[in-house]
Amino acid sequence: MKINQLNERALIAHISRLLARPGDNVVIGAGEDDCAVLDIGIGDYIVITTDMLHRKTDFPFQMSGRQIGWMSVAVNLSDLAAKGARPIGVVMAMGIPPDTELEFVDEIVKGMDECASKYGTQIIGGDTDAHDELTMAGTALGTVRKELLIRRSGAKVGDIVCVTGYPGSAGAALFALNRGIPPGQEVLKALFEPVPRIYEGIALAESRSVTSMMDISDGLALSLHDMSRAGNVGFKIYESKLPVLPYVKKLLKGDELLEAVVFTGGDFELLFTVAPDRIDRVRRSCPLTAIGEVIDRGVFIDRAGRLEELRARGYEHFKPAL
Amino acid sequence: MKINQLNERALIAHISRLLARPGDNVVIGAGEDDCAVLDIGIGDYIVITTDMLHRKTDFPFQMSGRQIGWMSVAVNLSDLAAKGARPIGVVMAMGIPPDTELEFVDEIVKGMDECASKYGTQIIGGDTDAHDELTMAGTALGTVRKELLIRRSGAKVGDIVCVTGYPGSAGAALFALNRGIPPGQEVLKALFEPVPRIYEGIALAESRSVTSMMDISDGLALSLHDMSRAGNVGFKIYESKLPVLPYVKKLLKGDELLEAVVFTGGDFELLFTVAPDRIDRVRRSCPLTAIGEVIDRGVFIDRAGRLEELRARGYEHFKPAL
């Protein structure tokens, strides 16, 4: 069997099954969550995550070097944010075509540095390699107090489902670019210079009121399915409650709008669940929108009173979206 | 200027200068050493390193999937070893051509797992990505007691220069493969299944007698120059003292032998310095060969009594060896 007959989730699950059983110091191991989490016998957990991006899939030609560098760091910080972790360092392995102009590399490095600095951390190391295709493999390291770690699992039936920001912004920009429409600045920035929700993640962890969390960079639908599987619960969200930028609502309608908001991915927002009696407290610590509730099983969307199953599709590396 | 007009050292130095100044928690930052080292306010330092390998340069077609996986982990563990660190986890971002057979991926993953397990750690996370060229970007995390950290700098004039193992083994295998000669099993294993000197690195750190250390995967000559620059000292090594496998001595003679032993790279051995009055103690904790001494400046090799300058060339990603 060739690997493109599997989707990325199935491939990761398959790979994880081949690995040795996690040792006692591994709180969260391969394939389980946005990050791996290690217990090294101190008050904090060590949180680590890695993401590989490359020219063909992740860096459209309209992206500047600075934006490529920014995104390569942001995608990793977003995973730390989803565990409520505080970043302590980023390393970046860069595969660069040998005929690349040094000035372009400089811009990439400045973008990496800018993103790391903005979220309280820095580039502490890396590797350079001559590669036909520009390839950026970043790893972010963070810490979180043991009692504050938030996992993908932990949601209880009745909890309120929340998101930060405006899902669909990156998807709308991608839609516009694909159709040759000049996208608005706000959505283009969401696509090319995504904001990792580090400070929101820390605030949500410190609220001690969030029962589960992950980031939605692969799309809201896929993330709800991930959290459903991890926590053995279901989700019902309401189309009418989804927070969408006015520009996106103007650009897209109906199913195209839903596609951008729940399936396309690219938004570095946090998806999380909160017990109903804690929601006011959480609102005070982080801007959020309540979009639905945790149910017993299945993942559904209420579209003007009509309940539809929300399929597990979104951003996939190996298998094209169906 | 295009980046292939720079060598990798110059490119890394250039990139490092563009980054923000290391914060107080960064003990060793970008471009300085084999690993980055963080102080998180506990008795141990956190040590982290990343390395990107890919099909065209790093995985000759003779390598099995298992060997590809093994090497992708070993190259990172070797950098931890060079700081005397104990590995606590490895994450691996894998860029895989979509038409790859799943069985081949399985072999790679088993090789990763095997190498991590053998050196007391495990694969705790990663990323998968569809990529035209097989690309493996690993990151290894370790810890070392603060007082035991060994840096590239620290050598004193008069210290004895030592190596583990048999440099030139990987180079001899590469030489044979390039000439269509079937290489001996021992050197082929050195090239395709390198042994990261984790246990030796820990023993050397615990001897509290090593003044500086790095790994020689880019070649002994380049590593001596790296340590010369880092420690503001020079080195004199003796051709006659270089430990070389009998097979390699039979296969290669004269300048070709020297080429494999000091320039080609690919040996995951440790290069380190020890004060003369400590050498016996260090010998008891780790098998080593003394190959020379630390001098005031310059990097030289004594070839049967004739002193030659040892040029700073070796394994380079961007600029072909001259």
Side-chain angles (χ1 to χ4, degrees):
Chain A
M1 183 165 70
K2 306 226 183 257
I3 59 164
N4 57 3
Q5 293 175 263
L6 288 172
N7 65 41
E8 192 179 1
R9 260 67 182 169
L11 179 62
I12 290 173
H14 172 81
I15 288 173
S16 302
R17 281 192 297 270
L18 294 177
L19 297 172
R21 270 178 72 97
D24 291 342
N25 64 326
V26 182
V27 179
I28 298 179
E32 293 179 48
D33 211 306
D34 297 59
C35 296
V37 178
L38 289 174
D39 185 349
I40 61 165
I42 58 170
D44 286 357
Y45 286 132
I46 301 289
V47 183
I48 186 168
T49 181
T50 190
D51 253 309
M52 184 187 284
L53 305 179
H54 56 118
R55 172 58 87 178
K56 202 188 275 185
T57 321
D58 302 292
F59 307 134
F61 70 91
Q62 300 94 338
M63 273 180 96
S64 69
R66 203 189 124 266
Q67 289 170 327
I68 288 172
W70 174 283
M71 175 169 282
S72 303
V73 171
V75 65
N76 284 292
L77 294 184
S78 182
D79 285 328
L80 288 189
K83 301 300 103 192
R86 200 175 286 277
I88 58 172
V90 175
V91 294
M92 186 67 65
M94 305 170 67
I96 318 172
D99 64 348
T100 303
E101 292 290 341
L102 185 61
E103 288 67 28
F104 188 70
V105 175
D106 288 0
E107 289 306 308
I108 292 175
V109 173
K110 284 178 199 164
M112 287 160 44
D113 195 61
E114 195 183 335
C115 184
S117 299
K118 178 133 188 185
Y119 299 101
T121 188
Q122 56 189 147
I123 311 300
I124 57 172
D127 184 33
T128 57
D129 194 13
H131 207 296
D132 286 346
E133 188 185 355
L134 179 65
T135 303
M136 304 282 290
T139 302
L141 197 64
T143 58
V144 61
R145 275 167 53 202
K146 285 184 176 174
E147 65 274 22
L148 299 186
L149 173 71
I150 309 173
R151 297 166 189 255
R152 284 189 184 175
S153 61
K156 299 273 173 298
V157 173
D159 282 357
I160 297 173
V161 180
C162 309
V163 288
T164 59
Y166 298 93
S169 305
L174 202 59
F175 176 93
L177 288 175
N178 287 342
R179 304 282 171 112
I181 306 165
Q185 278 311 307
E186 196 173 6
V187 296
L188 195 62
K189 205 166 156 140
L191 180 64
F192 287 168
E193 297 172 48
V195 168
R197 296 296 186 186
I198 285 290
Y199 297 119
E200 293 82 352
I202 292 170
L204 289 169
E206 286 178 348
S207 78
R208 296 171 185 259
S209 303
V210 171
T211 53
S212 68
M213 181 152 72
M214 74 176 291
D215 92 339
I216 60 163
S217 53
D218 291 341
L220 187 55
L222 215 46
S223 303
L224 286 166
H225 278 274
D226 286 335
M227 281 184 39
S228 165
R229 199 170 45 246
N232 201 22
V233 291
F235 293 96
K236 180 167 117 179
I237 62 168
Y238 297 84
E239 187 176 22
S240 62
K241 293 186 178 181
L242 292 169
V244 179
L245 290 177
Y247 171 88
V248 177
K249 279 190 181 154
K250 226 175 102 187
L251 181 73
L252 301 168
K253 304 285 177 202
D255 285 351
E256 277 182 348
L257 179 60
L258 194 68
E259 185 69 30
V261 177
V262 309
F263 293 115
T264 307
D267 302 298
F268 285 32
E269 301 297 347
L270 298 175
L271 169 68
F272 55 98
T273 56
V274 180
D277 62 336
R278 296 289 195 126
I279 191 75
D280 289 335
R281 173 193 302 229
V282 177
R283 262 186 216 285
R284 283 192 297 271
S285 59
C286 172
L288 64 85
T289 307
I291 61 168
E293 62 247 6
V294 180
I295 59 174
D296 192 43
R297 65 167 62 95
V299 178
F300 301 95
I301 184 165
D302 181 308
R303 302 188 72 182
R306 205 177 67 246
L307 210 60
E308 289 180 14
E309 207 166 326
L310 199 59
R311 292 180 55 200
R313 66 178 176 84
Y315 187 80
E316 281 282 354
H317 287 111
F318 291 99
K319 208 174 177 179
L322 301 170
Chain B
M1 184 167 68
K2 307 231 183 250
I3 60 164
N4 56 4
Q5 295 176 261
L6 287 174
N7 64 41
E8 193 179 1
R9 261 65 182 169
L11 180 61
I12 290 173
H14 172 81
I15 287 173
S16 302
R17 281 192 297 270
L18 294 177
L19 297 172
R21 271 177 73 95
D24 291 341
N25 65 326
V26 181
V27 180
I28 297 178
E32 292 179 49
D33 212 306
D34 296 61
C35 297
V37 177
L38 289 173
D39 185 349
I40 62 165
I42 58 171
D44 286 357
Y45 287 132
I46 300 290
V47 184
I48 186 168
T49 181
T50 190
D51 254 309
M52 183 187 285
L53 303 179
H54 57 118
R55 174 56 89 177
K56 200 186 280 185
T57 320
D58 303 292
F59 307 134
F61 69 94
Q62 299 96 335
M63 273 181 96
S64 69
R66 201 189 124 269
Q67 289 170 328
I68 288 172
W70 173 283
M71 175 169 283
S72 304
V73 171
V75 65
N76 285 292
L77 294 185
S78 182
D79 285 329
L80 289 189
K83 300 301 103 193
R86 201 175 284 277
I88 58 172
V90 175
V91 295
M92 186 66 66
M94 306 168 68
I96 317 171
D99 64 348
T100 303
E101 291 291 340
L102 184 61
E103 288 68 26
F104 188 71
V105 176
D106 289 0
E107 290 307 309
I108 292 176
V109 172
K110 284 176 198 165
M112 286 159 43
D113 195 60
E114 197 183 331
C115 184
S117 299
K118 178 133 188 185
Y119 300 100
T121 188
Q122 56 188 146
I123 311 298
I124 57 172
D127 184 32
T128 58
D129 194 14
H131 207 296
D132 286 346
E133 188 185 356
L134 179 64
T135 304
M136 305 282 288
T139 302
L141 198 63
T143 57
V144 62
R145 275 167 53 203
K146 284 183 177 176
E147 64 276 22
L148 300 186
L149 174 71
I150 309 174
R151 301 167 186 253
R152 285 189 184 175
S153 59
K156 299 272 174 297
V157 173
D159 282 357
I160 298 174
V161 180
C162 309
V163 288
T164 59
Y166 298 93
S169 305
L174 202 59
F175 176 91
L177 288 175
N178 287 342
R179 305 281 172 112
I181 306 164
Q185 279 308 308
E186 197 173 5
V187 296
L188 195 62
K189 207 166 155 140
L191 180 64
F192 287 169
E193 298 173 47
V195 167
R197 298 294 187 188
I198 285 291
Y199 297 118
E200 291 82 353
I202 293 170
L204 290 170
E206 287 177 350
S207 77
R208 296 170 186 260
S209 303
V210 171
T211 52
S212 68
M213 183 153 69
M214 72 176 292
D215 91 339
I216 60 161
S217 55
D218 290 343
L220 186 55
L222 216 45
S223 302
L224 286 167
H225 277 275
D226 285 336
M227 281 185 37
S228 164
R229 200 170 43 246
N232 201 23
V233 290
F235 294 95
K236 180 167 115 180
I237 63 169
Y238 297 84
E239 186 176 23
S240 61
K241 294 186 178 180
L242 292 169
V244 179
L245 290 176
Y247 171 88
V248 177
K249 278 189 182 156
K250 226 175 98 187
L251 181 72
L252 301 168
K253 305 285 176 203
D255 286 350
E256 276 181 349
L257 178 61
L258 193 69
E259 184 70 29
V261 178
V262 309
F263 294 116
T264 308
D267 300 299
F268 285 33
E269 302 297 347
L270 298 176
L271 169 69
F272 54 97
T273 56
V274 180
D277 61 336
R278 297 289 197 125
I279 191 75
D280 289 334
R281 172 193 302 230
V282 176
R283 261 185 217 287
R284 285 193 295 273
S285 60
C286 172
L288 63 85
T289 307
I291 61 168
E293 61 246 10
V294 179
I295 58 173
D296 192 41
R297 64 166 63 92
V299 179
F300 301 95
I301 184 165
D302 181 307
R303 302 188 73 181
R306 206 178 65 248
L307 209 60
E308 290 180 11
E309 207 167 326
L310 199 59
R311 291 182 55 201
R313 66 180 177 83
Y315 187 81
E316 281 282 353
H317 286 111
F318 291 99
K319 209 176 178 180
L322 300 172

